Amino acid sequence: MAREDHMAQDPSSQPADANLEAMLARALGKDEAGAPAASNATDASAQRCGYVAIVGKPNVGKSTLLNALVGQKVSITSRKAQTTRHRITGIRTVGAAQFIFVDTPGFQTRHGNALNRSLNKTVLGAVSDVDLILFVVEAGHFNLADAKVLSLLPPNVPVILLANKLDQVHRRGELAPWLRGMQERHPFAEYVPMSAKAAKDIERLFAICERYLPQQPWIHSAEELTDRSERFMAAEMVREKLFRLTGDELPYTSTVVIDRFEEEGQLRRIAATIVVERDGHKGMVIGDKGEKLKRIGTEARVELEKLWGGKVFLELWVKVRSGWADDDARVRSFGYE
């Protein structure tokens, strides 16, 4: 899909107004005079807690952002679009504020099968009852897929325009006219240019988001990182390795189902099935003499052991279920909403 690019060729020919310059200064962590912005510390006796939805088109960096905000992997990532398929909740408590982040699938516009209808339902559900929305776009770009997601956002919830992948923008001066165009599209509460890989940018984002959290007791304990079960995390980790190691060869409709999950002290025994739609896809997953399947299992096991701090025994099987992504009942049986 072609991008609709709003960068001006000569930024100096379109000087930003005072409000725009002030917004850029705040977004970059400086006040209007160019000095570092004051910390937005909260009185420790006054707890804040709220839900923050992370939305955007597929493959724009939402899951990477969530993992950076939580400080640990709770949402899987890969270069394949539609990697995230569930509403993933990540929890982070900073000072007196508890942030409950909700990562969502990218809104799907290309295919109308049962799986994509489920994914879109998840997106709409996530933004309907939150305190703040982070609308993630690539810094300096905006296309029809971005516009579709923006059109779904409720008017009564504040939205922060989060321009991700700032490290890939070579001419920072072009961001001001781009921002002017974005402000004409939606009355964003804040504009935050950043890179999810930069620790100082993540710290700055916490300070900005905190202002929008209601003053109320925490919902979770300070140590919790996600409300998802270990069984769910096991399936997601296998699916991440599946997508990463098969690249673009394997259709996005492949999924993972946990058949058995047993705990014996610090040991976890897991049996899972990778579900594909065609016999040819099964061969891709298994690989020559089973080497691909073995590598998927090994990499998933290592990451799960790191996540849980204990030994994991993982068995993987591959089964063909033709047309499952077009079958509403089967989509639900595989754990999709």
Side-chain angles (χ1 to χ4, degrees), residues 63 116 127 156 159 169 171 173 246 249 253 267 293-294 329:
S63 296
N116 281 351
V127 301
N156 60 329
V159 180
V169 176
R171 297 171 61 188
T246 56
E249 300 175 19
T253 48
L267 170 65
L293 184 62
K294 181 179 179 180

Side-chain angles (χ1 to χ4, degrees), residues 267-332:
L267 170 65
R268 294 165 177 82
R269 298 182 185 275
I270 306 168
T273 298
I274 296 173
V275 180
V276 297
E277 288 200 299
R278 297 179 183 176
D279 288 326
H281 300 159
K282 183 176 181 179
M284 293 178 193
V285 175
I286 294 175
D288 184 34
K289 298 180 181 179
E291 287 301 313
K292 181 68 66 67
L293 184 62
K294 181 179 179 180
R295 187 177 172 193
I296 291 170
T298 298
E299 293 196 10
R301 176 184 57 77
V302 169
E303 192 126 21
L304 290 171
E305 289 179 339
K306 179 181 177 182
L307 178 66
W308 296 328
K311 189 71 175 176
V312 173
F313 288 153
L314 176 62
E315 291 181 281
L316 293 182
W317 309 89
V318 185
K319 294 182 180 179
V320 178
R321 293 290 182 268
S322 180
W324 77 267
D326 289 311
D327 186 331
D328 286 291
R330 183 158 280 178
V331 166
R332 288 193 297 272

Side-chain angles (χ1 to χ4, degrees), residues 23-24 26-29 52 54-55 60-70 92 101 132-141 160-170 172 175 178-179 190-209:
M23 192 174 187
L24 276 169
R26 288 196 304 273
L28 292 170
V52 182
I54 303 174
V55 303
V60 77
K62 299 183 298 298
S63 296
T64 299
L65 174 64
L66 175 65
N67 292 336
L69 288 165
V70 174
R92 182 73 178 272
F101 294 104
L132 178 66
I133 295 173
L134 300 182
F135 176 53
V136 185
V137 297
E138 290 184 34
H141 298 285
I160 289 179
L161 174 63
L162 198 156
N164 196 23
K165 304 182 182 180
L166 181 66
D167 52 316
Q168 297 179 17
V169 176
H170 303 297
R172 301 294 174 88
L175 288 176
W178 174 77
L179 173 58
E190 304 271 359
Y191 165 59
V192 183
M194 64 172 290
S195 168
K197 298 178 181 179
K200 60 180 177 50
D201 286 353
I202 293 297
E203 184 178 340
R204 181 163 50 87
L205 182 59
F206 276 122
I208 293 171
C209 291

Side-chain angles (χ1 to χ4, degrees), residues 218-278:
W218 299 341
I219 296 174
H220 302 275
S221 71
E223 294 76 27
E224 286 186 76
L225 297 178
T226 182
D227 65 348
R228 285 295 192 174
S229 68
E230 290 188 352
R231 186 185 185 100
F232 173 85
M233 294 302 297
E236 287 290 274
M237 206 64 72
V238 173
R239 196 161 60 83
E240 178 186 72
K241 304 311 175 187
L242 171 68
F243 284 165
R244 285 193 171 189
L245 294 173
T246 56
D248 294 329
E249 300 175 19
L250 191 68
Y252 77 94
T253 48
S254 306
T255 195
V256 177
V257 178
I258 300 298
D259 303 310
R260 187 178 75 254
F261 191 105
E262 300 172 350
E263 293 186 59
E264 302 172 9
Q266 292 297 307
L267 170 65
R268 294 165 177 82
R269 298 182 185 275
I270 306 168
T273 298
I274 296 173
V275 180
V276 297
E277 288 200 299
R278 297 179 183 176

Side-chain angles (χ1 to χ4, degrees), residues 39-60:
S39 172
N40 188 47
T42 306
D43 184 346
S45 64
Q47 291 184 342
R48 290 180 179 272
C49 181
Y51 287 86
V52 182
I54 303 174
V55 303
K57 68 184 179 184
N59 216 22
V60 77

